[in-house]
Amino acid sequence: MSGERRAGSVGRPEGDPLDARRSTLLFVGAAQVVTCAGPARARRGGEMRDCGVAPAGTAVAVDGGRVTEAGSLAELEARFADAERVDCGGRLLTPGLVDSHTHAIFGRPRHAEQEMRAMGLPYMEIAARGGGIHASVRDLRGRTEDELVALALPRLRRIAAHGTTTVEVKSGYGLTLEDELKTLRAIRRLQALLPLRLVPTWLGAHEIPQEARARGDAGRREYLRLLVHEMLPAVAGEGLARFADVFCEPGVYTVAESRVLLEAAREAGLGLKLHADELQTSGAAELAVALGAASADHLAAVSDDGVRALAGGGTVATLLPGTMLFLGSARQAPARTLVDAGAAVALASDFNPGTSPTVNFPLVLTLAVSQLRLTAAEAVVGATVNGAAALALAGDVGQLAPGFRADLALFDAEDVRELPYWYGDRRCRGTWVDGVACHPYEAAAHHASGLPLPTASPTR
Ligand code: NIG
Ligand code: FE
């Protein structure tokens, strides 16, 4: 666990100015406390059915930015007599949600493409005509790092306002050395501005840039060379990313190319992720498992062999049902088959301007139950413990258990099954990261509930 603890040092730096505000807190008066407590690793298969629902009368003690204990109120009140109380007002208290797959750094929205798809033009055809990822690349290249920070800031705040406390954020709309570094530096600055925990991923292999495609095979080879020999060393050298990712998909990167890129990234000390079997089956899931990647993501077109590989390996199967919904696809990843085969399934939003422009992670839980046929408990484990495992943070976040980061979310609900039930509604009334109030809930809700006022921050 100590290794995972060290990996968990990404996010808020130790000794940052928030330290002074990390008093001892006692969360009391929740209708249910969902702890997700258990081993500090991904939950597989049948293990996902238990999200650790503790009844009313359970309190959570927090000290020094970490959970001290979740247990009986009477006992914890005696032990932490001086602690500041947070009255949960009969609501649902959960670990802060862990969204392990987003592309939150982009310029303008791409709403025109939604109508184009409705008129029958497929996603990859829009890309072939210079839309899709290419459109976001042209846009991002024309923007400064300051603009990218300013654009992402309110989006990330809205993500936090829905209950998410850890967000993975990918680059991948730059596709030049300079523009990828600009994106990752923007993420680093956002980490300093926001109480959210951000995990940066380098996705220089999100597409083959149009200017390289125009030069055929030679252009493609040159871009691959740039990725491995220039971008990767610069990204790793500046410590700008925790993971590397590749869009492995027929028409984008082949399985063989993805292997070369990910092996180089591993050599450079980065963790591995893979956009795998999203639209067409390619064997990418098997590659992710063979390389020991932290996660294989999407998987709507995963093969039976891919399911077997994920069930038998250590790679988390991260599913993004919002993407398939937004693309208007009738197909979804075989979540039930994956869980029943013994795989560890995580859920994520895929927040991006092309295929999943939602900041609402609980809505993804709705889709997980109604479209992927997971139980509410499986969905919650997928959005907490297994999301954390997909970020190599399973020993640090995703559980309300002793020693874990005090990342919590409070929802206007009394039962965990209400989380996927009130679909599309924003029920989150507060989040805490490292024991510090993270998103400002409405003053009205505050007065009604007696919750403490959110602490001031230079970003709001
Ligand atoms: O995860 N598949 C590749 N990347 C994104 C889409 C990005 C975009 O269309 O801008 C995804 O779906
Ligand atoms: Fe993605």
Side-chain angles (χ1 to χ4, degrees):
M1 186 152 139
S2 62
E4 281 164 316
R5 272 282 148 69
R6 271 194 298 281
S9 66
V10 294
R12 301 220 60 83
E14 298 293 340
D16 72 40
L18 292 177
D19 276 341
R21 305 209 312 258
R22 284 181 193 138
S23 50
T24 307
L25 298 176
L26 199 56
F27 290 81
V28 302
Q32 273 185 354
V33 177
V34 176
T35 65
C36 294
R41 57 163 174 77
R43 306 290 158 74
R44 320 183 65 89
E47 293 176 334
M48 290 183 67
R49 284 185 179 269
D50 182 8
C51 65
V53 178
T58 302
V60 179
V62 163
D63 188 36
R66 297 210 180 244
V67 174
T68 317
E69 200 165 325
S72 117
L73 173 63
E75 201 183 297
L76 292 184
E77 272 198 318
R79 276 178 51 202
F80 300 95
D82 298 334
E84 188 185 320
R85 301 282 192 283
V86 180
D87 184 355
C88 296
R91 297 191 173 97
L92 178 74
L93 188 64
T94 72
L97 305 180
V98 180
D99 191 349
S100 62
H101 183 139
T102 83
H103 308 251
I105 311 293
F106 58 86
R108 67 178 67 89
R110 304 208 314 259
H111 35 69
E113 292 177 16
Q114 188 184 17
E115 280 186 338
M116 289 162 86
R117 280 193 300 277
M119 298 303 132
L121 210 58
Y123 177 71
M124 290 304 261
E125 181 56 33
I126 293 170
R129 297 182 188 188
I133 294 169
H134 299 299
S136 289
V137 168
R138 284 193 299 276
D139 178 7
L140 182 137
R141 286 178 179 174
R143 295 183 190 270
T144 64
E145 188 184 308
D146 283 354
E147 274 179 271
L148 296 181
V149 171
L151 283 163
L153 204 51
R155 292 175 194 146
L156 289 166
R157 286 210 193 102
R158 286 200 295 279
I159 285 175
H162 283 85
T164 301
T165 51
T166 297
V167 193
E168 185 256 20
V169 187
K170 301 176 197 292
S171 68
Y173 293 122
L175 310 189
T176 66
L177 173 63
E178 195 182 298
D179 293 302
E180 286 294 301
L181 291 177
K182 176 175 73 182
T183 307
L184 291 166
R185 288 177 187 143
I187 299 170
R188 186 170 61 187
R189 278 176 56 194
L190 285 157
Q191 178 62 94
L193 291 169
L194 283 164
L196 266 173
R197 195 182 302 289
L198 304 183
V199 179
T201 292
W202 171 58
L203 179 55
H206 197 187
E207 244 298 358
I208 310 284
Q210 274 187 307
E211 63 277 11
R213 280 189 184 272
R215 294 201 314 280
D217 282 351
R220 190 179 183 98
R221 274 196 306 276
E222 266 169 48
Y223 187 65
L224 281 161
R225 201 202 60 77
L226 176 80
L227 286 171
V228 173
H229 297 289
E230 293 182 41
M231 252 191 241
L232 173 60
V235 167
E238 233 183 283
L240 286 171
R242 171 79 183 82
F243 290 95
D245 192 350
V246 177
F247 187 13
C248 182
E249 183 73 27
V252 194
Y253 289 90
T254 65
V255 171
E257 288 166 342
S258 302
R259 175 185 281 277
V260 169
L261 290 165
L262 291 181
E263 282 178 344
R266 186 170 59 187
E267 190 67 23
L270 299 186
L272 309 182
K273 295 179 138 320
L274 192 61
H275 279 68
D277 299 318
E278 175 177 351
L279 305 167
Q280 287 183 59
T281 311
S282 70
E286 292 91 313
L287 174 68
V289 176
L291 293 176
S295 69
D297 300 40
H298 283 290
L299 303 170
V302 69
S303 68
D304 292 347
D305 282 346
V307 171
R308 272 191 289 276
L310 289 159
T315 297
V316 174
T318 300
L319 310 185
L320 310 152
T323 303
M324 289 296 126
L325 173 91
F326 193 74
L327 287 176
S329 163
R331 180 136 137 204
Q332 283 284 3
R336 201 59 270 154
T337 308
L338 281 160
V339 174
D340 293 345
V345 167
L347 297 164
S349 71
D350 197 18
F351 175 56
N352 77 71
T355 66
S356 188
T358 185
V359 292
N360 186 339
F361 199 3
L363 178 60
V364 175
L365 271 65
T366 300
L367 298 175
V369 177
S370 293
Q371 308 293 308
L372 301 184
R373 311 267 166 216
L374 298 184
T375 65
E378 288 169 333
V380 168
V381 168
T384 54
V385 179
N386 285 3
L391 298 175
L393 293 175
D396 221 46
V397 300
Q399 302 190 30
L400 298 184
F404 279 77
R405 301 274 186 171
D407 294 3
L408 303 95
L410 188 65
F411 294 95
D412 223 343
E414 294 178 3
D415 186 294
V416 67
R417 288 166 292 188
E418 290 180 68
L419 214 46
Y421 174 78
W422 298 108
Y423 82 103
D425 194 8
R426 187 171 76 76
R427 292 260 158 170
C428 180
R429 291 294 170 264
T431 57
W432 289 259
V433 173
D434 285 344
V436 176
C438 179
H439 93 77
Y441 25 80
E442 303 86 341
H446 159 68
H447 289 307
S449 69
L451 285 164
L453 275 171
T455 35
S457 139
T459 64
R460 44 180 98 100

